[in-house]
Amino acid sequence: MTSSREAHLVELVDETGRPTGATTVDEAHQAPGRLHRAFSVLLVAPDGRMLLQQRAAGKTRFPLRWGNSCCGHPPPGGSLTDAANLRVREELGAGPVPLTEVGVYVYRAEDPVTGRVEHEYDHVLFGRFTPGDPLRPDPTEIADLRWVDPAGLLAEIDAEPQRYAPWLGGVTERLLRHRAGDPAGPAARLDAGEPAGPATRLGSHEPAAAGSVGTGASLEEAPERSVGR
């Protein structure tokens, strides 16, 4: 249940992703927000479409907005991919799925409805998934599901940002960079423009080693770091 997870611990980090402590999910998301580690899972079909979920009405942050396949927070010192696959199972009734980290998206966004704040060092995790495979979404987490073209999704977010979670554009961009096969090239400077959705982009860094799945822009490139969680 969403409410019970508010008492779970998350790992606080600095702007480079290094751990600085721990606090509860609830405390980390109280204004003005505390930077903490998170993950966004992007499940992609063989034809390139990506699975989106509409966040349930009971979510404490950005309810009923469309987001990526699932999200969450690893426990302090815990495995990133193990925590992500736990959420794939809990939210979508699927998995486990082999996951690869394709980038990090650092952002801050305030929910205008609930006043809660997402300030996250967000590891973007990619996994292959066939649309015909079983999905049993938890209705307390997910209101709806749909498959979309990632490139077309960015245009939708630009046109109607209020329908989408504020991190969705940033994590989708990192997926597209990975698919282009040039994460360190000119495409990695996409963050120099306005963000896709109402989030302030605070930084990015290039993909870590593979695992086995407000408005305005201001950013600094975060230094490289190893990710072993």
Side-chain angles (χ1 to χ4, degrees), residues 55-106:
R55 295 165 64 80
K59 290 280 193 178
T60 60
R61 300 174 296 280
F62 302 99
L64 295 179
R65 296 209 192 188
W66 287 95
N68 51 282
S69 309
C70 76
C71 297
H73 309 93
S79 164
L80 191 66
T81 53
D82 286 353
N85 263 309
L86 176 61
R87 295 305 296 146
V88 169
R89 185 176 78 242
E90 291 174 341
E91 291 194 24
L92 295 166
V97 180
L99 298 170
T100 299
E101 183 172 335
V102 297
V104 169
Y105 181 54
V106 184

Side-chain angles (χ1 to χ4, degrees), residues 15-17 35 101-107 120-124 170-171 173-174 177 183-192 200-208 218-225:
E15 66 279 359
T16 71
L35 184 60
E101 183 172 335
V102 297
V104 169
Y105 181 54
V106 184
Y107 71 96
E120 297 192 327
Y121 192 93
D122 191 14
H123 298 263
V124 184
V171 300
E173 285 176 356
R174 277 147 185 80
R177 291 181 201 168
R189 300 296 174 260
L190 288 172
D191 290 320
T200 300
R201 299 179 181 190
L202 302 175
S204 65
H205 74 53
E206 307 312 332
S218 171
L219 91 134
E220 297 175 357
E221 288 294 321
E224 293 287 342
R225 63 181 295 276

